[in-house]
Amino acid sequence: MNNIPSILINYQEIIRNEYFKAENIVSKYRGRNAVVDSSWETIVTLMTDKLDNLQPQIMVYGIYNAGKSSIINALVRREAAVVADVPTTDKIDFYEWNGYQIADTPGVGAPIQHEAVTEEYLKQADVVLFVMSTQGSYEYAQNYNRMKDIISAGKRVLIILNDKQGLLSEDDGMVQLQAIKSKIVANMKSVGIENNIS
């Protein structure tokens, strides 16, 4: 969990850097042209407003019972999301985390009306944490078909492998982890996601 922030994009920093680049370019023309001055003031106002209100969206997704709620609770460091062995999410619940807004969404295989809620939210998400468990959910073809759809929609996907039963802490844990990772990559390739694997 600790390396997730280093993978996620710091939008505020990117916007500030681009702003400073633009400011250097425009500074040569400011004070000489009323149109440039007026346009630059508008840009600064919009940028400041957007930056102050910018809260990138993380969508937590995956097959039910893969441990999505547990992952959210680990990130926010409290029991915020309901953990259950049956699907409980039929709407999107939001949680604050490190300047991001985390959305807990209905998962893969949810009823059609619940999936529609997820589809609508997906348009807003900046990144998708796709949760699979070490207990077999990484084997399900529907995960990879859905993952391909999400990647095709232009979303960045981070796979979170949830070791709910502590299998990877056993003596051969690293061997098991490598086998699971190889299977995940093979499954991704089987649906045509190979160009997006890193």
Side-chain angles (χ1 to χ4, degrees):
M1 276 312 161
N2 294 336
N3 63 349
I4 289 176
S6 65
I7 296 170
L8 298 175
I9 297 168
N10 184 335
Y11 287 96
Q12 290 92 340
E13 185 176 330
I14 289 171
I15 291 170
R16 280 192 187 94
N17 288 340
E18 292 303 315
Y19 167 77
F20 290 129
K21 286 180 194 174
E23 186 177 45
N24 284 335
I25 294 167
V26 173
S27 66
K28 300 173 198 171
Y29 306 101
R30 285 185 23 224
R32 297 180 182 178
N33 184 307
V35 174
V36 170
D37 291 345
S38 174
S39 296
W40 185 247
E41 283 179 33
T42 302
I43 290 168
V44 170
T45 301
L46 286 170
M47 195 269 318
T48 304
D49 179 56
K50 292 294 181 191
L51 199 55
D52 288 345
N53 295 306
L54 181 64
Q55 192 168 34
Q57 309 283 311
I58 299 174
M59 180 173 131
V60 180
Y61 190 68
I63 201 157
Y64 78 89
N65 207 21
K68 293 181 300 170
S69 296
S70 297
I71 296 296
I72 290 169
N73 290 338
L75 285 171
V76 301
R77 296 195 169 142
R78 62 186 173 86
E79 297 299 312
V82 176
V83 177
D85 287 333
V86 294
T88 58
T89 306
D90 60 356
K91 63 186 184 340
I92 296 176
D93 293 312
F94 295 96
Y95 306 92
E96 302 296 320
W97 175 70
N98 287 0
Y100 286 82
Q101 189 172 59
I102 300 176
D104 186 7
T105 60
V108 177
I112 296 297
Q113 65 272 25
H114 298 179
E115 271 287 332
V117 170
T118 299
E119 276 302 315
E120 190 56 37
Y121 179 75
L122 181 60
K123 297 171 189 171
Q124 301 172 45
D126 296 295
V127 67
V128 176
L129 299 185
F130 203 106
V131 181
M132 294 187 277
S133 79
T134 57
Q135 282 197 292
S137 75
Y138 66 89
E139 297 276 8
Y140 302 149
Q142 60 186 340
N143 277 330
Y144 300 96
N145 291 324
R146 191 66 187 111
M147 194 182 298
K148 182 178 182 182
D149 293 342
I150 293 169
I151 290 170
S152 296
K155 303 301 176 181
R156 184 178 194 116
V157 174
L158 301 175
I159 296 174
I160 305 295
L161 191 59
N162 189 3
D163 186 23
K164 292 168 57 171
Q165 304 300 320
L167 301 175
L168 302 181
S169 62
E170 297 173 1
D171 290 342
D172 64 342
M174 291 310 291
V175 173
Q176 287 185 49
L177 177 61
Q178 194 54 49
I180 291 170
K181 285 170 71 175
S182 296
K183 183 66 176 172
I184 289 171
V185 169
N187 288 338
M188 291 176 78
K189 288 180 177 178
S190 74
V191 297
I193 306 179
E194 60 227 278
N195 295 333
N196 301 90
I197 300 172
S198 62

